[in-house]
């Protein structure tokens, strides 16, 4: 059936009669009887006569409308060749989408899992298996992505081309079109003509997404694409584009980034310098190494080998071109500010030679003269994170058994978490497990957040043991609510068996917090329920193993 619009053809006289009826209805028929009914209708029957006249005029007005031109129909939704969800997984998605907006009980009491926190994990599992969203769930899926930006990449991936088609029909879902090409699809990086057309004619968000896609598949082609229009780009656009070179950054990008050091925009220069300093073999890294070596060295005249520091006395134009910011933040001294930036940008492999062939662990263990240790070690921490150097990260982290305040490199948990992110996944989990075993959970929340999910067995066991110890000690249970929430999302589902014995309500000692036993029991019950639900989700989304091939009968 065609979609039509209508055009009014009622005469002005009919409009005047309608306005007369409306005025009488508003003022009352006793105060202003309709002109067409006055004198012919008794006063007591006037209200009913007014309604009859209004009904008659309504029919007349509608009959005076004629069909307008048909509106164009939307284009058909594109096909999505991916496999449909298994039926059990489809029902689970409906459950998660329906429960995502339900407010959590105050204080997270009760044993029911938090469905809103399970939806992201479900999306990861579904996308990993290459499933597509059922058409009927697309509106709810887009609503969920609109409400939570952290869900958007995974939700839009599951929604696929049909989700983007639907998003074009509802202004509230237009966020889904940002960063996509025309029609919601980017050209393949192998489609040279399509890439060039979108790069030359696309919107800024489309061009950013295109550059990221090309850069991911072919870093050299992405760099060449950017260089082709670099001089004509706006400063704010150049900043976003040069930042995209983090993907696939290599020594081949040095020439382009070195030229960007002369850019008109200070932010572009700073970003280019940061990327160059992450390349230990770059010319900028070499210049920074020379500058840092004039500031930091070994004082051999001291009774024991000691690191001597002489902070820069100026920040000249060459240093500023290489990315140093001359003006420090409020409360920071100029010289310490310049020193930190120099050491952070200097290549870490240059320091062992500067310190007589010592290893990173031996260098970090050296005393530092004149109270410069905090500034120097903090700069080395930033350098290890920027250059993704696991050897220096290990040295600055030290043993997890050492109290944080007396560690070799930093007592900041935020810096420790960043250093941990440079280590291999298994080593990271072992280090945090040892930290939790030695210091408990009160200081481990940030460290747990950088560990791969699901947590490896030693880490999961360490967290469960620490929670059990806290429960037995009568600690305030609500102070561990954050770790409990993290455990619900990150523990391996198989840990539910180990937790079953903790779901019973313990006997409360007199010195324990009132009601703590009930809280702990509910928290562990919720944790077990969540882990079992995650196991069910995984099973529902896992394709069945192919059965053995039966030999054909002769």
């Amino acid at each position: 059936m065609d979609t039509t619009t209508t055009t009014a053809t009622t005469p002005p006289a009919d409009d005047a009669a309608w306005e007369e009826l409306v005025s009488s209805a508003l003022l009352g028929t006793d105060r202003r009887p309709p002109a067409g009914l006055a004198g012919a209708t008794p006063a007591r029957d006037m209200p009913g006569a007014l309604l009859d006249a209004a009904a008659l005029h309504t029919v007349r007005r509608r009959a005076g409308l004629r069909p307008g031109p048909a509106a164009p129909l939307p284009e058909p939704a594109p096909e999505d060749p991916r496999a449909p969800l298994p039926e059990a997984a489809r029902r689970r998605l409906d459950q998660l989408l329906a429960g995502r907006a339900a407010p959590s009980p105050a204080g997270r009491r009760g044993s029911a899992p938090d469905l809103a926190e399970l939806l992201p994990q479900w999306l990861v599992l579904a996308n990993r298996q290459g499933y597509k969203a059922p058409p009927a769930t697309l509106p709810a899926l887009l609503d969920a992505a609109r409400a939570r930006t952290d869900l958007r990449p995974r939700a839009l991936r599951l929604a696929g081309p049909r989700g983007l088609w639907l998003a074009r029909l509802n202004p509230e879902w237009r966020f889904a079109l940002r960063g996509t090409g025309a029609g919601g699809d980017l050209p393949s990086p192998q489609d040279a003509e399509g890439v060039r057309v979108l790069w030359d004619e696309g919107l800024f968000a489309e061009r950013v997404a295109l550059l990221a896609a090309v850069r991911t598949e072919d870093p050299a082609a992405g760099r060449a694409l950017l260089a082709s229009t670099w001089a004509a780009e706006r400063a704010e656009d150049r900043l976003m584009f040069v930042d995209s070179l983090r993907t696939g950054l290599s020594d081949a990008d040095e020439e382009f980034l070195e030229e960007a050091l002369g850019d008109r925009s200070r932010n572009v220069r700073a970003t280019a310098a940061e990327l160059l300093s992450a390349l230990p073999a770059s010319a900028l890294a070499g210049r920074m190494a020379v500058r840092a070596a004039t500031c930091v060295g070994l004082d051999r005249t001291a009774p024991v080998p000691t690191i001597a520091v002489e902070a820069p006395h100026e920040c000249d134009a060459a240093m500023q071109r290489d990315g140093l910011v001359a003006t420090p933040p409020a409360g920071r001294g100029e010289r310490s500010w310049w020193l930190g930036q120099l050491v952070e940008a200097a290549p870490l492999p240059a320091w062992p030679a500067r310190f007589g062939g010592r290893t990173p662990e031996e260098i970090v263990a050296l005393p530092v003269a004149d109270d410069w240790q905090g500034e120097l070690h903090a700069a080395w921490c930033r350098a290890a994170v920027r250059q993704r150097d696991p050897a220096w990260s290990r040295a600055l982290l030290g043993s997890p058994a050492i109290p944080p305040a007396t560690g070799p490199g930093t007592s900041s948990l935020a810096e420790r978490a960043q250093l941990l992110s440079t280590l291999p996944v298994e080593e990271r989990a072992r280090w945090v497990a040892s930290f939790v075993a030695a210091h408990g959970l009160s200081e481990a929340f940030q460290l747990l957040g950088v560990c791969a999910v699901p947590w490896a067995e030693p880490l999961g066991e360490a967290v469960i043991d620490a929670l059990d110890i806290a429960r037995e000690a009568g600690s305030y249970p609500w102070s561990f609510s954050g770790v409990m929430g993290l455990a619900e999302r990150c523990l391996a589902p198989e840990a539910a068996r180990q937790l079953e014995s903790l779901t019973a309500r313990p006997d409360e000692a007199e010195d324990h917090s009132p009601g703590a036993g009930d809280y702990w029991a509910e928290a562990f019950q919720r944790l077990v329920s969540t882990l079992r639900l995650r196991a069910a989700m995984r099973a529902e989304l896992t394709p069945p193993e192919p059965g053995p091939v039966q030999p054909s009968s002769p």
Side-chain angles (χ1 to χ4, degrees):
M1 181 175 65
D2 290 340
T3 302
T4 60
T5 59
T6 55
T7 305
T9 59
T10 52
D14 191 70
D15 287 339
W18 177 256
E19 293 297 331
E20 178 72 18
L21 291 174
V22 171
S23 299
S24 296
L26 292 174
L27 297 175
T29 56
D30 56 338
R31 297 178 57 189
R32 183 171 179 175
L37 301 178
T41 305
R44 64 179 183 276
D45 298 332
M46 190 65 72
L50 172 65
L51 295 177
D52 290 341
L56 180 62
H57 275 276
T58 299
V59 173
R60 183 185 300 121
R61 287 167 63 87
R62 289 178 178 176
L65 299 178
R66 62 185 180 186
L73 293 174
E75 297 179 0
E79 291 296 326
D80 191 338
R82 296 177 297 173
L85 283 171
E87 181 60 24
R90 186 196 62 75
R91 291 195 301 268
R92 184 73 67 191
L93 176 58
D94 290 340
Q95 178 193 22
L96 296 176
L97 290 172
R100 69 170 182 85
S104 299
R108 285 297 314 278
R109 297 303 298 265
S111 58
D114 186 349
L115 298 182
E117 293 303 325
L118 289 175
L119 181 57
Q121 291 196 12
W122 188 96
L123 290 171
V124 169
L125 293 172
N127 286 325
R128 190 177 297 162
Q129 297 294 344
Y131 290 122
K132 64 180 177 181
T137 64
L138 289 176
L141 191 62
L142 290 170
D143 281 339
R146 180 169 65 92
R148 287 181 57 176
T149 56
D150 61 311
L151 287 179
R152 290 182 182 178
R154 288 166 285 190
L156 294 179
R157 180 179 172 187
L158 185 72
R162 289 195 168 187
L164 296 177
W165 171 85
L166 190 61
R168 293 200 301 272
L169 305 178
N170 186 343
E172 292 186 351
W173 298 331
R174 290 298 174 88
F175 69 87
L177 306 178
R178 298 171 192 155
T180 63
D185 294 317
L186 292 172
S188 168
Q190 287 79 30
D191 181 6
E193 180 63 24
V195 167
R196 172 51 59 186
V197 169
L198 184 58
W199 182 252
D200 290 340
E201 303 176 4
L203 300 174
F204 173 66
E206 294 173 329
R207 300 177 73 215
V208 169
L210 177 65
L211 180 60
V214 175
R215 180 75 178 172
T216 298
E217 184 157 325
D218 187 346
R223 184 179 62 253
L225 186 67
L226 177 57
S228 66
T229 59
W230 178 257
E233 304 289 355
R234 300 181 305 168
E236 56 268 31
D237 295 353
R238 292 199 306 276
L239 175 61
M240 184 71 74
F241 289 145
V242 76
D243 191 70
S244 69
L245 297 182
R246 295 180 191 275
T247 302
L249 182 67
S250 69
D251 292 335
D253 300 315
E254 180 183 358
E255 181 179 356
F256 180 88
L257 292 171
E258 187 72 30
E259 293 180 2
L261 290 177
D263 195 87
R264 307 186 295 276
S265 167
R266 184 185 68 180
N267 291 331
V268 172
R269 295 195 303 270
T271 302
E274 178 187 346
L275 295 178
L276 283 169
S277 67
L279 299 172
S282 68
L284 179 138
R287 296 192 294 270
M288 290 298 189
V290 172
R291 292 174 180 132
T294 64
C295 299
V296 181
L298 195 61
D299 183 1
R300 303 182 185 275
T301 65
V304 295
T306 302
I307 296 178
V309 175
E310 179 66 27
H313 290 273
E314 64 173 342
C315 183
D316 57 32
M319 293 165 66
Q320 293 181 50
R321 182 184 181 275
D322 283 346
L324 266 70
V325 178
T327 305
R332 285 289 301 274
E334 284 186 335
R335 297 183 65 197
S336 64
W337 172 245
W338 299 333
L339 174 73
Q341 293 180 84
L342 280 179
V343 174
E344 177 183 357
L348 290 168
W351 291 111
R354 179 66 175 160
F355 289 100
R358 288 176 170 84
T359 65
E361 287 82 1
E362 293 170 334
I363 295 173
V364 171
L366 290 172
V368 182
D370 301 326
D371 297 325
W372 282 106
Q373 178 171 313
E375 188 71 50
L376 182 61
H377 283 189
W380 275 336
C381 285
R382 296 192 298 272
V385 173
R386 179 184 293 188
Q387 299 173 34
R388 313 304 295 175
D389 192 311
W392 274 88
S393 293
R394 294 186 191 100
L396 292 161
L397 281 167
S399 169
I402 299 175
T406 59
T410 175
S411 60
S412 165
L413 291 174
E415 287 182 340
R416 285 190 163 200
Q418 291 179 324
L419 291 170
L420 281 168
S421 69
T422 70
L423 302 182
V425 170
E426 297 81 3
E427 182 181 357
R428 198 183 314 168
R430 289 195 303 270
W431 197 97
V432 178
S434 298
F435 183 93
V436 170
H439 310 294
L441 292 168
S442 58
E443 296 184 320
F445 188 81
Q446 285 181 285
L447 306 182
L448 291 169
V450 299
C451 294
V453 178
W455 289 335
E457 186 173 345
L459 178 57
E461 291 180 352
V463 171
I464 293 172
D465 289 343
L467 288 171
D468 190 18
I469 291 171
R471 183 191 67 149
E472 292 293 334
S475 301
Y476 288 105
W478 45 89
S479 63
F480 294 92
S481 59
V483 175
M484 273 292 191
L486 200 59
E488 292 173 16
R489 300 188 295 272
C490 302
L491 273 175
E494 294 77 13
R497 294 190 299 271
Q498 184 181 350
L499 288 159
E500 286 178 354
S501 61
L502 304 179
T503 58
R505 183 184 183 280
D507 296 330
E508 291 187 7
E510 292 183 358
D511 58 342
H512 288 187
S513 305
D518 289 336
Y519 183 100
W520 280 111
E522 287 182 359
F524 281 118
Q525 290 166 10
R526 181 172 61 249
L527 179 54
V528 170
S529 298
T530 302
L531 294 179
R532 287 174 175 164
L533 182 53
R534 285 175 51 205
M537 287 166 35
R538 184 175 60 186
E540 292 162 357
L541 287 164
T542 302
E545 293 289 339
V549 178
Q550 299 294 331
S552 58
S553 57

